[in-house]
Amino acid sequence: MKTLGMTVDSRTAHRVYSEASLLAKGEPDSVAALRPYLAAYKAKHRDAHYCVETTRTRVPAPEPAPAGAGAGAGGAPAMVDEEVLTQAFVAFAPTVRLVRDAGQWLKPYVTVDGAHCRRGTLLTLVASDANGALIQLAVGMVKSESTASWTWFFNQCVTAYPRLREWAGALIVSCDGDKGAGNGIAAVFAEAQRVYCVKHRKRNIARRFGVGDDGLGIYNLFEAAACAVTEAGFDAAMAELHLKYPEGYAYVMERDPRMWANCKYNPRAFGKLTSNDAGACAQHRGAPGLRVRRRRRGGG
């Protein structure tokens, strides 16, 4: 546009881009392109597993209806049925074969998390190999992180990866404190051990107690307790937390330490403390850990 000597405000540019994207790719909630694409992928890669669930809704016809054909009183637009995407799941063929044929070399430890996306929530299931390399096992798109959505997602995961059920009591599932995820884990992986993501808990502590002296003290002592590799280190940090910040201690102890403290974890957790696999907390286990610093006023 600049080369043509034209200027367009950002709002107009965004509207034009959105309309062009809609013309090129179709309605985001439509399954007209998604289902054929996944079917073609499945035909080429037989080991893949996918599931697309839809609902039908009444929407105005895309073009004006002919005179006398379906128009209601007062010239109301004609309505048509349209299939709308509600939730989708994909497990890719290479990872399905990997878990099926070489699952004994994987850690029986998976992390699950949800993140907002344009049309709902993106759910993920991630594992890691013996070298700690991350393996994206499955992704799902749902409307929200409800118990029903997580249970549906986990059932699809088991369908794609039966070994998850075979691990039974050996399986450890790490996630944040979302109630829907917890209920889904209890419903589908009743024998598995659930552990809480320390990174999410630290974030919640910072939000609840702020970044003042008390907030920083609670944050750092919780991290020291969570990352401690010995019972003595854990007890020392928790004793100091209880003495200096009783309210923070009560908040931290709302969750069973066996579900977030490194020294109390089942050894099969391999020292992992976060469901956010991009996080670095596990790299600091046994160390004082990262410290929250106050942001300078006016600084970045």
Side-chain angles (χ1 to χ4, degrees), residues 105 107 128-133:
W105 304 110
K107 302 171 183 177
S128 57
D129 63 16
N131 291 324

Side-chain angles (χ1 to χ4, degrees), residues 86-147:
T86 56
Q87 50 194 17
F89 174 94
V90 180
F92 302 102
T95 55
V96 172
R97 289 193 295 268
L98 172 67
V99 176
R100 181 191 64 203
D101 300 335
Q104 68 273 21
W105 304 110
L106 298 178
K107 302 171 183 177
Y109 183 104
V110 296
T111 64
V112 298
D113 205 353
H116 295 294
C117 61
R118 182 179 179 184
R119 291 288 172 171
T121 302
L122 186 71
L123 306 183
T124 60
L125 176 72
V126 178
S128 57
D129 63 16
N131 291 324
L134 301 181
I135 305 172
Q136 180 72 60
L137 297 183
V139 293
M141 196 288 293
V142 296
K143 290 300 182 183
S144 64
E145 289 191 73
S146 64
T147 296

Side-chain angles (χ1 to χ4, degrees), residues 38 41-42 45-50 90-94 96-97 160:
L38 291 176
Y41 179 78
K42 173 74 173 180
H45 305 280
R46 296 292 182 181
D47 295 317
H49 172 70
Y50 76 90
V90 180
F92 302 102
V96 172
R97 289 193 295 268

